[in-house]
Amino acid sequence: MRALLLVAAVLVSAVAVPAQAATPTTYAVRGLDQPVRMVVDKWGVPHIYALNSDDLFLAQGFNAARDRLFQMDLWRKRGLGQLAESFGPAWVAQDHAARMLLYRGDMEREWASYGPQAKQTITEFVNGINAYVDWVGQNPQALPEEFRKLGHKPARWAPEDVVRIRSHGLVRNLYSEIMRAMTTCLAGLDADRVRANLEPKWTTKVPDGLDACAVTENAGDVINTYRLGTQAVSFKGQKLELNAAEQQEGSNNWVIGAKKSETGRPVLANDPHRVLPAPSGRYIQHLSAPGLDVIGAGEPILPGVSIGHNGTAAFGLTIFSIDQEDLYVEQLDPANHGRYRFKDTWEPVRTVKEKIAVKGEAAREVDLNFTRHGVVLHTDQARHQSYALRSVWFEPGTSPYLGSLKYMGVKNLAQFREVMRTWGGPPENQVYADTKGDIAWLPGGMAPKRPAFDGLLPVPGDGRYEWEGYYDGEQLPRSVNPAKGFLATANEENLPEDYPRDRKLGYEWADPFRSQRIHEVLGSKEKLSIQDSERLQNDQLSVVARRVTAALKDVTSTDPVAAKALQSLRGWNHVLDAKSGPAALYEVWRVKHLGAAVIAATVPALAQLGQAPDPEVVLDVIEHPERWLGQDAKAKRDKLVVDTLAAAWRDTEKRLGADPAAWQWGTLHQTLFQHPLSGHLPNVDVGPFPRGGSADTPDAASFGPDFKQTGGASFRMVLDVGNWDASRAINTPGQSGDPASKHYRDLASTWHKGEYFPLLYSRAAVERNATKVILLLPRR
């Protein structure tokens, strides 16, 4: 013990620290081999210094639980389908759905997919979580208030929990397949071009043998099961309710080469977009041990870092929309629904029986049914059909983001490229930069080969529409050290013109407007500074708004209300600033009036689906009405614009008052970081804040029908590659998951103002900015 204390003393006194951080908080942690020093800086970022990698990842798990225990416990319970055990019978259906989506494949292949040390790393990480759970059990005063409110305790983890849960991954093609089938049933397949613009340009067809109207009749049941299995948890009102909000996803990243950078070094920027809860879905941390020194953001429930740098190489990601899911319609034996048709034979449906523990009641036994294509989400008893989901989720190596364990320590482009060659999921645009000056765009993700179909509609499961393996990662597009000096992605369709179309990677991408603005800004200057990247991450100019108003330059109206609206938009700078009145008018017009009018003018039957038209289609109707509106197209377009603008002006008056000088976009569009126990515990929500931007601006701010922000960039970083202490980052609302902590909400105002803090990397800079030191000592 004296030897351990001596090592600890050396660790504590190795570097001078501010007086307020000089006295460490000490924990005795079972499983540690050597002491670990953790330094928390003034922005709440933990810097973890260990003497070996096992201790490092154990300490990471311990610290993540120390900061985010309730969030992590709820994630695990949701993902494993164990909510009812803690919260009662209202959650049985969600538990049942969640269990459908667990990984149930070969565990040896699964562990090996993430590298030779992955199982050991994850085991140590989980040991750290459990060590903190044990500590809380012995120190009940430290139990987070959420557990006391809900009347349950944190569970212990198994290493398999980390990899079996897949349903937080960003693979979301099933919904669009069903919507396309519903559109086909209601209005014909050609009508779907108004709902969803396919890129690259592609003409799909209804698979032989698919009854689109049968899919339509079963759509609600299939979608609801899928949503139950993938959605987050919230506790609303006086009883437990399910949160059925759609998950928001997207991101921006770019990398600037040394010759185009003012610093003479590469710059890498990334701002992944997700839902905006309290606490944040991202967690910034610094992991340092012999052989590894990596800093950046990950998810608190995973070991390692997914977005950041290791002192030599930097990396950042966005979603690359490979189609990784398909819905199969299985024909059941009318005399025995335990069998389904595949080619010329009947194959047995595989059934797994599980018991769902229920608080206050007896356990419920549920059946999980599987075909060769995947889990059965719903069965249409009358038609003798089942709907089975095939997804890369169920393949080894697709636990979301866990593949980053293999690239955290890379030292050159060749090593990083090899990691991305075997990346599983989610599908990503990775951008890369290193201190040698190399920059690259390297997409990764398992891409199914579909020789007989395109993946855009459900298909019969009779054997004619099968996947035939996956493309090797090197068969995805690549770009290294381009002549223009930068690379950028924003979830747009970014396949090169000469990329083989027969690979059919996917046809459903984010709208191109964020990407267009990012490329416009990055290409507009000969040299770009760190501050240029910060400003671009907070840029709220709408390219699509600029194009729409330019197309309306000749539109006139004798209606005084419409004339005022036209004048307002023409005098606008197209920036969706929170204080802008024209921005408020534009968004009310676009969201509440223009889209519905375009549907009515092109495919009225789609109104039954409650679907908005594709934003690129709306823009094309405005810019090129002759393609959509038939005879006298321009006159019809002008009338559509005038009528909807007048309605939007009146609508905005109702929402914001009669004086247009007082209108502000941020009055409608607001950000609230909402805790799962919002309404049940005081002071757990952060905000609301008036918010600028939209889904179309680099400063992405998706919103729902009530204009309240639902998704965006909680985490941003701009890395000065090689001068690492000059790098910048922000998380929000704070690093901690404890509402009583000063780091729970301290970053929200900084984020709201578009500002950053220094992402410190050198030991000396970290110690100078320490506000807390934590020492983990081995417990014998």
Side-chain angles (χ1 to χ4, degrees), residues 479-515:
S479 181
V480 176
N481 297 325
K484 65 183 179 182
F486 71 90
L487 293 157
T489 81
N491 317 115
E492 80 284 10
E493 191 274 299
N494 55 358
L495 299 175
E497 285 295 324
D498 61 352
Y499 190 75
R501 295 301 188 245
D502 60 356
R503 291 182 184 166
K504 296 179 282 193
L505 297 185
Y507 301 95
E508 298 168 303
W509 310 74
D511 302 325
F513 309 124
R514 280 185 290 120
S515 175

Side-chain angles (χ1 to χ4, degrees), residues 36 148 169 197 294 375 437 458 485 573 606 636 708:
V36 175
R148 279 192 277 269
N197 183 45
V294 62
V375 65
N573 63 3
L606 284 184
K636 292 177 180 176
K708 301 301 186 284

Side-chain angles (χ1 to χ4, degrees), residues 681-708:
L681 286 176
N683 302 315
V684 292
D685 293 344
V686 181
F689 303 99
R691 189 77 173 95
S694 75
D696 297 334
T697 60
D699 183 9
S702 304
F703 54 85
D706 60 357
F707 296 104
K708 301 301 186 284

Side-chain angles (χ1 to χ4, degrees), residues 3 41 65 93 138 140 238-239 247 276 317 330 339 358 467 469 476 492 545 610 622 660 684 696 698 779:
D41 68 26
Q138 296 162 4
Q238 299 303 308
K239 61 180 181 178
Q247 190 169 17
L276 298 178
L317 56 87
E330 313 282 19
R339 304 196 305 172
V358 182
W467 294 4
L476 300 181
E492 80 284 10
I622 298 296
V684 292
D696 297 334
R779 180 182 176 186

Side-chain angles (χ1 to χ4, degrees), residues 291-293 310-313 409-413 415-416 432 434 436:
L292 181 67
D293 194 10
N310 60 23
T312 300
V410 299
K411 297 302 181 184
N412 57 55
L413 177 57
Q415 292 176 359
F416 194 81
Y432 169 93
D434 62 33
K436 295 177 182 177

Side-chain angles (χ1 to χ4, degrees), residues 120-182:
Q120 179 68 14
T121 294
I122 295 165
T123 299
E124 293 296 342
F125 179 77
V126 166
N127 287 343
I129 296 172
N130 290 336
Y132 188 76
V133 170
D134 291 343
W135 184 87
V136 167
Q138 296 162 4
N139 297 270
Q141 75 283 356
L143 184 71
E145 183 62 26
E146 295 97 327
F147 290 100
R148 279 192 277 269
K149 179 68 178 179
L150 293 170
H152 72 112
K153 293 182 179 180
R156 291 175 59 82
W157 292 47
E160 290 76 16
D161 297 346
V162 174
V163 297
R164 291 188 66 213
I165 298 172
R166 300 291 215 249
S167 50
H168 61 300
L170 300 183
V171 177
R172 296 288 187 271
N173 177 250
L174 175 137
Y175 180 77
S176 62
E177 286 188 20
I178 291 176
M179 292 308 299
R180 186 166 289 107
M182 295 175 72

